[in-house]
Amino acid sequence: MKALKDPNVNMIGVWGMGGVGKTTLVKKAAEQAKVDRIFDVVIFSEVSLNDDLGRIQGEIAEALDFKFKAETISGRSNQLRERLLKETKILVILDNIWARLDLGELGIPFGNDRKGCKILVTSRYEHVLTEIGTDSLNIRVNTLNDVEAWNLFEKMVGDVVKVPNLLPIATEIAKRCGGLPILIITVARALRNRDDSHSWKEALRQLERFQNAEFDKRVYSTLELSYNHLRSEVMKQLFLLCGLLVNTDYAVEDLVNYCMTLDSFKDIDKLEDRKNRLHKLVRDLKSSCLLLDGEKNGFIKMHDVVRKFAMSFAGENHNLFMGEYDGEFEEWPKMNVVAKFSSICFPHNYIHKLQEGWECEELELFILHSKNRDLEIPNSFFRGLRGIIVLDIKNTIIPSLPSSVCYLKNLHTLSLDDCELEDIGIIGNLVGLEVLKTCNL
């Protein structure tokens, strides 16, 4: 509101992840601006994915009760600019912009040409706002804090939340929504006036597993749109890789070696060049609200809901297999399914026994973080996994590395963190190995 009242502020950008409430915020601000008589006219147009300039021009003209004489975009642009400049106090809100929008081509005056026209734009991507020209004032909309999230959840779900046996479950459900308004609202509406504990417990279970249940399909599709419109394939690959690795605060530098499984990193020889590329991509993902700054400098983290989406989406669409974090792993996938995997990750799983005989030539990343320190790795285990580029084994007693490690001719990185190692002489046969990380030798 302060920016809307400031005559020196020409353009305002509002950005944040999908479902965080950008549209709701700017609509409320527009309503308040009308009440405060900051503007004579307030116009709202949703740009959305199709970026249809003709439709947007038509919506602005309709709000002004103005009819075009020209039919072409450029002809309409000139007429619309002339009409807007006649207003002394006008606010134009362009909502949900996905890519750079040429305001001049659209017919909206800006910069020194603006006179009484102020522009408010929203996007999921900070870089889109920068390209439009909102550098002077970009406002980020963050997720709700715990108190705000609970207040919204309680308001939307109704008095049923006050039932004593439901309150602890409700508290946990609200927490699992991660402060994301779209998820809080959809979950609360699904549970409104339901006083049976079975429905609430099932909702909590589905939230924990992010099973794309009926009430969170909106959230899944919202995040899928953000993912699909990332600017490059390598950004998509890195985002899914972060979904595997970034469970808590995670050092960006620790991602470097994992990135060797991404196509655009395989031909970069210098470590410094890999780091530079990685930091650039991390910045781009932060700008897209799919990664967050960690608590410490140089660290990143992921919103819980975003990470659950990344794992779910990768499992369904990108031949990735991931065990449930901190869980006990007993049921192995079928051999014909394993053959398609490009990444396999066991994040802090208790595994009783590794299954032998895997044939998976496509596999490039294998992460085995075991809760069972006595887990035995059979000698022949890696025979059918010859394409592995990054092998990460953690918290395991290894008297000697399996002889089948010699088959890993593409192995670039071998990490043996928190492993008790005795004989590692076989590593000398891994002529392509560039990175060896060990602890407790």
Side-chain angles (χ1 to χ4, degrees):
M1 293 307 299
K2 183 178 178 181
L4 290 176
K5 293 175 184 177
D6 188 342
N8 297 315
V9 175
N10 176 20
M11 296 179 66
I12 305 166
V14 174
W15 66 290
M17 65 186 291
V20 80
K22 301 180 296 295
T23 301
T24 301
L25 175 64
V26 297
K27 283 184 174 179
K28 291 292 183 183
E31 289 175 10
Q32 189 61 45
K34 284 183 180 179
V35 171
D36 295 346
R37 297 184 179 181
I38 302 172
F39 301 100
D40 297 326
V41 181
V42 176
I43 298 172
F44 181 93
S45 178
E46 182 178 2
V47 178
S48 71
L49 284 170
N50 58 15
D51 197 15
D52 184 346
L53 296 184
R55 176 186 59 78
I56 299 167
Q57 288 176 328
E59 288 179 355
I60 296 173
E62 185 177 347
L64 293 167
D65 196 21
F66 169 71
K67 295 191 180 300
F68 290 111
K69 294 179 181 179
E71 294 184 1
T72 64
I73 295 294
S74 59
R76 284 179 157 203
S77 173
N78 292 329
Q79 292 177 11
L80 186 59
R81 182 180 297 103
E82 290 177 6
R83 176 64 183 84
L84 287 169
L85 288 173
K86 291 179 181 179
E87 299 289 340
T88 56
K89 293 188 294 184
I90 184 170
L91 174 65
V92 179
I93 301 173
L94 300 174
D95 185 44
N96 197 18
I97 298 177
W98 288 81
R100 185 183 181 278
L101 188 66
D102 189 329
L103 297 178
E105 184 181 5
L106 191 58
I108 297 178
F110 62 98
N112 295 330
D113 187 35
R114 69 184 176 92
K115 292 189 177 178
C117 184
K118 185 164 291 194
I119 305 161
L120 174 57
V121 296
T122 77
S123 179
R124 298 185 185 192
Y125 307 119
E126 185 184 23
H127 73 84
V128 169
L129 301 182
T130 302
E131 289 169 358
I132 292 172
T134 63
D135 294 24
S136 60
L137 185 57
N138 284 342
I139 300 170
R140 179 167 186 171
V141 183
N142 291 309
T143 52
L144 306 180
N145 63 36
D146 290 345
V147 174
E148 294 167 337
W150 173 252
N151 289 340
L152 177 59
F153 183 82
E154 188 177 28
K155 177 182 177 181
M156 298 303 300
V157 84
D159 290 340
V160 68
V161 77
K162 297 175 183 177
V163 176
N165 68 315
L166 295 181
L167 184 57
I169 308 172
T171 304
E172 186 61 26
I173 286 176
K175 182 180 177 182
R176 291 281 179 180
C177 290
L180 192 61
I182 189 176
L183 187 54
I184 294 169
I185 291 169
T186 49
V187 172
R189 282 176 176 166
L191 294 171
R192 188 174 179 83
N193 298 326
R194 292 195 178 192
D195 57 4
D196 61 297
S197 62
H198 301 295
S199 296
W200 287 74
K201 288 177 181 177
E202 176 60 12
L204 178 58
R205 186 188 71 83
Q206 290 180 338
L207 273 173
E208 288 172 341
R209 296 174 180 269
F210 204 78
Q211 292 181 323
N212 200 13
E214 195 63 37
F215 60 70
D216 59 28
K217 283 182 179 176
R218 285 179 63 200
V219 181
Y220 191 96
S221 61
T222 294
L223 292 172
E224 188 174 10
L225 269 176
S226 291
Y227 168 83
N228 287 337
H229 285 83
L230 288 173
R231 288 183 287 175
S232 65
E233 195 60 35
V234 68
M235 282 181 69
K236 295 178 181 179
Q237 293 174 351
L238 179 59
F239 168 70
L240 297 179
L241 181 62
C242 288
L244 274 182
L245 301 171
V246 184
N247 185 46
T248 55
D249 272 20
Y250 197 92
V252 175
E253 294 287 324
D254 288 346
L255 278 172
V256 173
N257 295 317
Y258 291 101
C259 286
M260 288 306 297
T261 61
L262 308 184
D263 294 337
S264 69
F265 279 78
K266 292 175 181 176
D267 296 327
I268 302 177
D269 295 327
K270 293 183 178 179
L271 178 61
E272 189 64 28
D273 291 341
R274 293 175 199 155
K275 288 182 178 180
N276 291 336
R277 180 154 178 73
L278 173 62
H279 280 281
K280 167 65 167 60
L281 290 169
V282 165
R283 282 196 301 272
D284 289 344
L285 286 173
K286 288 180 185 177
S287 168
S288 303
C289 296
L290 294 175
L291 277 183
L292 303 170
D293 285 316
E295 299 301 321
K296 295 185 287 185
N297 187 38
F299 281 68
I300 54 173
K301 60 184 178 182
M302 283 185 110
H303 189 283
D304 287 345
V305 175
V306 174
R307 183 168 186 265
K308 288 175 183 176
F309 160 76
M311 291 187 293
S312 176
F313 185 83
E316 292 173 9
N317 301 281
H318 286 267
N319 303 326
L320 177 147
F321 176 80
M322 185 169 186
E324 184 179 351
Y325 185 83
D326 213 20
E328 187 166 353
F329 191 81
E330 294 178 338
E331 185 177 350
W332 290 86
K334 296 179 180 178
M335 291 295 184
N336 62 330
V337 177
V338 170
K340 302 175 183 178
F341 293 150
S342 59
S343 301
I344 294 175
C345 179
F346 294 103
H348 202 233
N349 291 138
Y350 191 94
I351 303 172
H352 297 274
K353 184 180 180 181
L354 287 173
Q355 190 178 40
E356 295 187 67
W358 279 13
E359 293 290 335
C360 186
E361 297 295 333
E362 301 296 319
L363 187 66
E364 294 185 339
L365 173 62
F366 188 91
I367 299 174
L368 177 62
H369 291 179
S370 177
K371 290 174 67 176
N372 176 13
R373 285 187 66 80
D374 296 318
L375 178 67
E376 181 181 346
I377 304 176
N379 253 328
S380 62
F381 185 73
F382 295 106
R383 187 185 296 270
L385 310 176
R386 305 183 184 207
I388 293 179
I389 295 173
V390 177
L391 176 59
D392 180 354
I393 302 174
K394 188 174 184 178
N395 192 43
T396 305
I397 298 172
I398 306 176
S400 62
L401 285 170
S403 58
S404 55
V405 165
C406 288
Y407 290 101
L408 306 182
K409 302 298 183 184
N410 296 327
L411 192 64
H412 170 276
T413 297
L414 175 60
S415 178
L416 301 167
D417 234 359
D418 295 330
C419 292
E420 291 186 24
L421 305 169
E422 295 179 15
D423 180 10
I424 60 168
I426 197 171
I427 289 176
N429 297 321
L430 301 174
V431 293
L433 192 67
E434 289 189 26
V435 178
L436 174 62
K437 184 180 180 183
T438 61
C439 185
N440 297 337
L441 275 173

